[in-house]
Amino acid sequence: MDSIEIKQRNIILNKKDILEKLDYEEEDIIFLGGSLIEGSINKLSNGMGNKLSDIDVFILSNDIKKIQKSKLDYDKEYLKTQFKRLCSISLDIEIYSKQVILDLIEQLNNCDFNTNIRTFNLLNLPVGFDLNSFTSFIHRFLNGIPVYNEEVFYQISNFLKRDNYFKLMVRLAVNNVDVFYEDAIGNIQNHQYEVALVVARNILLETMKAYIFNKKTSLDRDKWIPLKLKNLGLYDEEVETQYKTFAKLYYEEKLDERNNIRLNVEKIINFSNEIIQKIGQDGGI
């Protein structure tokens, strides 16, 4: 396939034109990602991307230190960034060290989830490279389209143990719920219901994020949680039911009185407990 159709923007991009915009070496790997791409290739991401969305270009560089700083907009040791345009579309170009990414994928594949090590510390990340950057990259990789060295791209894709990625993301989300839980309870006890509501909404989002990952579905932005749930619900009646409860708690309940705010917070906490208990029963934690 030499061209890529971007339905959300009603254009067709030629791979050759994309590559001509990039600086890369023979052994590099290049793929496209982001909401426009994901919304085009993943039925569970239907609705993602719009006429104002950019295309994310990812380059796994065989020798990232060779890249000239003058060609970069942002320069970190293991992640370089450029911004270019093609056919009126902005290209956000992220250049990673291929070796660093491969090392982290191998660590992820070998993760021991039965250890006492905190989830946030399971991977030995290089200095200046945070966990969110890596997991976001993995999400884009899983929902990407290769445009250069495609065979190697698919070799890495086959090497990646997806179940370990999903389990890691479930645990990270549940850990966040635990942190927010005490904050919400403390503010309820202190009658700070408005503050508790803000925290409870974070609990709800992190809970549904854990639920989505437990369903072997990926995302990297909280804003896509409702869309992913709604799309998953088209193929899974249980998810459809949970989405309706989520939507009611997040959008639909009247919060015109302080007592209603407190009740909403308590409902969110109870719903979160039910979902996380179910994830645990499924072996997802």
Side-chain angles (χ1 to χ4, degrees):
M1 183 175 65
D2 295 325
S3 60
I4 299 168
E5 183 180 7
I6 308 296
K7 295 180 180 179
Q8 303 95 317
R9 299 197 61 161
N10 196 30
I11 62 172
I12 295 177
L13 297 179
N14 190 292
K15 288 185 179 180
K16 182 180 178 181
D17 294 335
I18 296 171
L19 293 175
E20 286 179 351
K21 286 284 184 179
L22 307 176
D23 302 304
Y24 61 95
E25 301 292 334
E26 183 178 354
E27 295 183 355
D28 293 351
I29 302 165
I30 304 173
F31 67 95
L32 308 183
S35 59
L36 285 174
I37 300 300
E38 184 177 345
S40 298
I41 66 173
N42 187 342
K43 67 180 182 180
L44 299 180
S45 303
N46 184 43
M48 287 180 63
N50 56 66
K51 292 182 179 180
L52 299 178
S53 298
D54 303 329
I55 289 180
D56 297 328
V57 181
F58 297 88
I59 302 176
L60 290 179
S61 173
N62 201 52
D63 191 353
I64 198 169
K65 294 180 180 179
K66 280 187 176 180
I67 300 172
Q68 297 179 22
K69 291 187 177 182
S70 60
K71 295 183 177 181
L72 301 170
D73 291 288
Y74 294 100
D75 182 15
K76 297 181 181 179
E77 186 171 0
Y78 301 109
L79 171 59
K80 321 290 184 182
T81 307
Q82 296 174 319
F83 301 107
K84 296 185 179 182
R85 293 188 69 82
L86 174 65
C87 299
S88 76
I89 293 182
S90 295
L91 302 178
D92 291 354
I93 304 163
E94 295 186 3
I95 308 167
Y96 292 81
S97 165
K98 181 165 65 174
Q99 191 56 54
V100 166
I101 293 296
L102 291 177
D103 287 347
L104 288 172
I105 288 176
E106 186 168 6
Q107 286 187 51
L108 178 60
N109 285 350
N110 295 323
C111 263
D112 179 7
F113 292 102
N114 295 317
T115 182
N116 291 326
I117 298 174
R118 293 179 66 233
T119 304
F120 291 98
N121 297 325
L122 282 173
L123 299 182
N124 184 22
L125 297 156
V127 176
F129 197 88
D130 61 84
L131 184 58
N132 183 65
S133 295
F134 175 61
T135 57
S136 178
F137 172 87
I138 293 297
H139 169 79
R140 306 298 182 95
F141 183 81
L142 293 175
N143 291 278
I145 297 177
V147 294
Y148 184 74
N149 273 337
E150 298 178 24
E151 183 177 345
V152 185
F153 174 92
Y154 288 117
Q155 287 174 356
I156 297 172
S157 179
N158 292 332
F159 175 66
L160 172 64
K161 290 184 179 179
R162 286 163 171 73
D163 283 351
N164 279 19
Y165 165 67
F166 290 126
K167 194 176 189 72
L168 175 69
M169 298 309 293
V170 169
R171 286 196 168 197
L172 289 172
V174 171
N175 285 352
N176 288 335
V177 170
D178 290 341
V179 172
F180 288 131
Y181 178 82
E182 291 187 4
D183 196 4
I185 295 299
N187 277 289
I188 289 176
Q189 292 174 346
N190 202 35
H191 305 292
Q192 297 296 329
Y193 300 145
E194 294 84 358
V195 177
L197 176 62
V198 173
V199 178
R201 290 194 163 195
N202 287 328
I203 289 174
L204 185 55
L205 291 175
E206 291 295 329
T207 298
M208 301 321 293
K209 190 187 301 181
Y211 182 70
I212 289 168
F213 278 108
N214 193 53
K215 289 291 182 178
K216 312 300 183 185
T217 301
S218 182
L219 76 158
D220 74 333
R221 298 286 188 274
D222 288 357
K223 66 181 181 180
W224 299 123
I225 289 173
L227 181 144
K228 289 279 186 173
L229 286 171
K230 191 182 298 185
N231 286 336
L232 270 168
L234 297 175
Y235 307 94
D236 187 323
E237 290 184 3
E238 177 201 289
V239 179
E240 182 183 18
T241 299
Q242 305 296 11
Y243 169 70
K244 288 178 180 178
T245 303
F246 163 82
K248 182 178 180 181
L249 291 170
Y250 201 83
Y251 308 119
E252 299 170 10
E253 290 203 339
K254 289 186 177 181
L255 304 176
D256 53 343
E257 297 180 7
R258 296 191 79 242
N259 189 55
N260 289 341
I261 294 175
R262 178 182 61 80
L263 289 174
N264 180 255
V265 171
E266 291 174 353
K267 288 177 184 178
I268 287 174
I269 290 173
N270 290 335
F271 177 62
S272 173
N273 288 337
E274 291 174 8
I275 293 294
I276 291 175
Q277 183 179 13
K278 185 181 187 315
I279 292 172
Q281 291 170 348
D282 292 342
I285 302 176

